[in-house]
Amino acid sequence: MVIKVYIATSSGSTSIKKQQQDVMGFLAVNKIAYEECDIAANETNRKWMRENIPQESQPAVGNPLPPQIFNEIKYCGNYEAFFDAREDNAVYAFLGLTAPPGSKEAEALLKKAAQQQQ
């Protein structure tokens, strides 16, 4: 499974650029395989991204802005959802991946399972 991050390489927005760098930097540091899909230079990527974001995750006005994150074709979320998952040590779950042994997320899952068995 490859995580796909839909980005805009020619975005004029500093905020969007920082968000894109934040997502891809996190994935790279944690050795999570990902693919950049540029929506600014590739109309097919832009169209696919817009068509595959669920209706309930679409903005009320306008088009969804990058970065948008998918696990292959399954929508994971936008930057805000990624940020929340990172703050909650739940990025692997957010991405639909198994947390590696020894990670904070894996330890939290083990602790939760142990509490449920009691």
Side-chain angles (χ1 to χ4, degrees):
M1 287 187 275
V2 174
I3 301 304
K4 294 184 179 184
V5 183
Y6 285 79
I7 63 165
T9 53
S10 63
S11 174
S13 167
T14 304
S15 175
I16 287 175
K17 287 179 185 177
K18 286 181 180 179
Q19 291 174 0
Q20 292 173 163
Q21 290 171 341
D22 190 27
V23 170
M24 293 184 297
F26 179 91
L27 297 174
V29 164
N30 288 282
K31 296 178 175 65
I32 298 171
Y34 72 94
E35 177 183 325
E36 293 177 28
C37 301
D38 187 6
I39 65 167
N42 186 317
E43 182 64 33
T44 304
N45 284 343
R46 181 179 326 148
K47 184 177 179 186
W48 190 93
M49 180 195 82
R50 290 180 179 168
E51 290 175 354
N52 288 281
I53 294 175
Q55 187 62 39
E56 63 272 8
S57 297
Q58 294 279 344
V61 178
N63 292 312
L65 298 174
Q68 297 290 334
I69 306 160
F70 290 79
N71 182 332
E72 294 293 338
I73 61 170
K74 180 184 174 286
Y75 183 66
C76 298
N78 60 13
Y79 177 77
E80 289 76 20
F82 169 81
F83 181 84
D84 290 344
R86 193 174 66 191
E87 290 293 306
D88 294 338
N89 290 318
V91 173
Y92 288 92
F94 167 78
L95 295 172
L97 301 173
T98 302
S103 69
K104 289 181 182 179
E105 190 169 340
E107 290 175 16
L109 289 171
L110 287 172
K111 186 176 180 180
K112 186 176 181 179
Q115 288 172 345
Q116 289 176 345
Q117 289 179 352
Q118 293 177 357

